[in-house]
Amino acid sequence: VAYAATQSFTASIQFLTPLSFTAATNPNMGNWNTGASGRNFILNSDGTISGTNAADYINKATAGSVNVVGSTADTVDIIANNFVANGGVSINDVPCKYGAAAATSCGTGITTAAAPGAGTALLLGVDVNTTVAHTDGQTATPGFDIVVSYN
């Protein structure tokens, strides 16, 4: 009859390069015609324009980008959150493209994306609605956060 049991365990630990961002540029929706509330504009992660009211686009839109730097050994999760409306413009989503992967929604998130290594590009668009009528010269600067974490 045994009065004691022994089980040995080992703890595992993996060391990863801290995640960081370099060369960040904000998405720029460019110039749009003045107009009514309730319009939808989408700047896609490749810089193209779409959305219900894409015909109101004039010029100068550019997708944003950030270089994600980190481990070569572990995958990452990416999500856009903390959408902040400003100037009568609210954010619906953040279209994005990470590295060689297909374009998708950072608002719903990307899971188990490729390890960033020395740097992987994350391209960013923005899908917005106008919540007021806009007149000549008005500007808006809605915002969001991008969170990248190891999984």
Side-chain angles (χ1 to χ4, degrees):
V1 174
Y3 293 99
T6 301
Q7 175 67 49
S8 295
F9 293 91
T10 59
S12 69
I13 184 169
Q14 183 177 14
F15 297 96
L16 302 174
T17 301
L19 287 164
S20 63
F21 296 127
T22 62
T25 58
N26 290 315
N28 181 348
M29 292 291 291
N31 296 313
W32 295 81
N33 288 323
T34 59
S37 175
R39 297 181 299 158
N40 173 250
F41 308 131
I42 301 171
L43 169 62
N44 296 295
S45 60
D46 64 0
T48 60
I49 299 294
S50 61
T52 307
N53 302 98
D56 288 344
Y57 173 67
I58 299 172
N59 63 6
K60 296 189 179 179
T62 55
S65 66
V66 64
N67 201 34
V68 181
V69 178
S71 173
T72 59
D74 203 5
T75 59
V76 294
D77 293 337
I78 303 168
I79 193 159
N81 61 21
N82 295 327
F83 296 172
V84 178
N86 177 270
V89 176
S90 63
I91 297 176
N92 300 316
D93 192 16
V94 176
C96 64
K97 182 178 183 318
Y98 179 71
T104 189
S105 165
C106 271
T108 55
I110 302 171
T111 57
T112 62
T120 300
L122 175 62
L123 304 178
L124 303 167
V126 66
D127 174 345
V128 300
N129 281 347
T130 60
T131 58
V132 300
H134 289 92
T135 58
D136 184 50
Q138 287 183 308
T139 60
T141 54
F144 59 91
D145 293 338
I146 291 290
V147 179
V148 178
S149 57
Y150 289 121
N151 58 36

